[in-house]
Amino acid sequence: MSLTENLLRPLLKSSARPLVTHYDDALGSRIELSVATVANWAAKTANWLVEEFDVEEGDEVAVELPAHWQTAGVLLGAWWCGAHVVADAAGARIAFVGPEGIAGKAEATAVVALDPLGRGLGGSVPSGALDYLSEARLAGDDFSPLVPIAGDTPALLGSTVDDVLARARARAGELGIGEGARVLSTRDWTLPDGVLEALLAPLVVGAHLVQVTGSTPERLVAHREAERTTVDLT
């Protein structure tokens, strides 16, 4: 079973509950995604990768993105179809980059707009690149791998699905993140440690992640109070 299925399947029993809340204080935005919405974006991403790029189990997908709710959809979608998430675009089937960076070494480049409301790039798509949000939005809402994803499939910088799950659970325990926790995080989603600690550790135990970017100490105090967070990763 894929990394994404392992993470999301237990949570879909309560699909309407919040899973990821993202504040971008530099833009003054807040968006809350339910389990169902996160799963929907992951499914669209997985379908897009398979249908448009023939991504198969073990194929490398480079992710060069900041901590953001759209990055969660990219990562979970890549893992759902069995992709191996890497940091280096060289040789990857596709590289996901933000609006300011173009990775020219991958077979294809998808630009993630990182718009708070999920809007694509519109008419400003760089030459030779693809607008991830606009294109993946048209893909299917449900995904099933063509073949079961094995636990020994590489998932994150050489670590297998089983290894990543075990490391995420271990980090959750070390960080005091338990089921039902509300985790406030300002950590970058660097590969692999940032993603393991600030995304996968909360998801693997069924915690609610409140990810904050571009903030100040004063704003973080307000977020802790408003979101009633119980664990700090700041």
Side-chain angles (χ1 to χ4, degrees):
M1 191 161 59
S2 72
L3 180 57
T4 298
E5 289 174 284
N6 274 287
L7 292 168
L8 294 184
R9 181 174 289 183
L11 305 179
L12 286 169
K13 298 173 184 177
S14 304
S15 61
R17 77 171 181 85
L19 183 62
V20 176
T21 299
H22 179 230
Y23 285 90
D24 187 334
D25 284 349
L27 297 177
S29 65
R30 177 189 184 275
I31 185 165
E32 183 175 278
L33 280 71
S34 67
V35 174
T37 302
V38 172
N40 181 257
W41 269 110
K44 285 181 176 295
T45 303
N47 279 311
W48 188 58
L49 289 173
V50 171
E51 294 166 6
E52 298 298 324
F53 305 100
D54 297 320
V55 171
E56 298 179 350
E57 183 178 356
D59 284 348
E60 291 188 354
V61 169
V63 178
E64 303 176 11
L65 295 170
H68 196 281
W69 66 266
Q70 290 161 26
T71 305
V74 168
L75 288 167
L76 292 169
W79 286 320
W80 207 341
C81 62
H84 177 198
V85 171
V86 296
D88 186 356
R93 298 299 300 275
I94 184 169
F96 288 89
V97 300
E100 304 304 320
I102 297 297
K105 298 178 182 178
E107 295 178 23
T109 298
V111 181
V112 183
L114 303 176
D115 180 83
L117 301 179
R119 293 171 296 206
L121 295 166
S124 59
V125 184
S127 176
L130 300 160
D131 182 348
Y132 160 71
L133 285 168
S134 296
E135 298 214 11
R137 192 189 308 277
L138 303 177
D141 293 338
D142 299 298
F143 180 75
S144 296
L146 296 177
V147 296
I149 306 302
D152 60 358
T153 302
L156 180 60
L157 294 183
S159 295
T160 67
V161 169
D162 290 343
D163 288 341
V164 173
L165 284 169
R167 290 169 65 189
R169 290 192 181 99
R171 289 303 291 145
E174 291 162 2
L175 294 167
I177 305 171
E179 182 179 0
R182 298 177 63 83
V183 181
L184 179 74
S185 174
T186 59
R187 298 191 182 183
D188 292 332
W189 291 1
T190 52
L191 300 180
D193 293 341
V195 166
L196 279 165
E197 293 183 354
L199 177 64
L200 297 182
L203 293 186
V204 79
V205 296
H208 176 188
L209 173 62
V210 180
Q211 179 68 39
V212 182
T213 56
S215 196
T216 64
E218 294 77 15
R219 293 295 300 153
L220 288 176
V221 171
H223 294 325
R224 289 187 187 98
E225 294 175 353
E227 299 290 344
R228 303 185 304 281
T229 54
T230 58
V231 178
D232 247 28
L233 298 181
T234 58

